[in-house]
Amino acid sequence: MAKKFYIDEDECIGCGACSDSCPDVFAMTDDNIAEIINMDEASEEEIQDAMDSCPVDCIHWEDED
Ligand code: F3S
C-alpha cells in the first residue's frame, strides 16, 4: 500500500492544482477545499507531483517531519 498522506485543510487555498493533477485521489468540496477521495488510486510519484504542484505546500506525507 502506498504511503499515507493528508491535507492541512486550514492551509488549503482551494487552488485546485491537486485535483487537476490527480482527479482520482483529490476532489474539491463545496467550500472549495481539497479532500482525499481515494488514497490508493495513485502511485507515490503521482501523489508527490500533486504535493509539488500545491502552491502552499499543504499536502503532507504522514509521519514526515
Ligand atoms: Fe488546496 Fe493545495 Fe490542492 S491549495 S486545492 S491542497 S493544490
Side-chain angles (χ1 to χ4, degrees), residues 6-9 11-21 26-28 32-35 50-59:
Y6 65 97
I7 298 167
D8 184 342
E9 295 168 0
E11 295 293 322
C12 175
I13 59 170
C15 81
C18 55
S19 59
D20 285 347
S21 165
F26 299 98
M28 304 307 295
N32 206 35
I33 299 294
E35 65 177 348
M51 286 177 176
D52 293 343
S53 72
C54 178
V56 293
D57 290 332
C58 67
I59 311 169

Side-chain angles (χ1 to χ4, degrees), residues 20-65:
D20 285 347
S21 165
C22 276
D24 293 333
V25 174
F26 299 98
M28 304 307 295
T29 68
D30 291 342
D31 294 329
N32 206 35
I33 299 294
E35 65 177 348
I36 297 166
I37 52 173
N38 194 332
M39 205 168 264
D40 298 321
E41 280 297 315
S43 66
E44 284 185 18
E45 190 175 27
E46 289 169 310
I47 301 297
Q48 185 65 57
D49 283 347
M51 286 177 176
D52 293 343
S53 72
C54 178
V56 293
D57 290 332
C58 67
I59 311 169
H60 305 282
W61 296 113
E62 297 268 8
D63 303 325
E64 256 184 18
D65 294 329

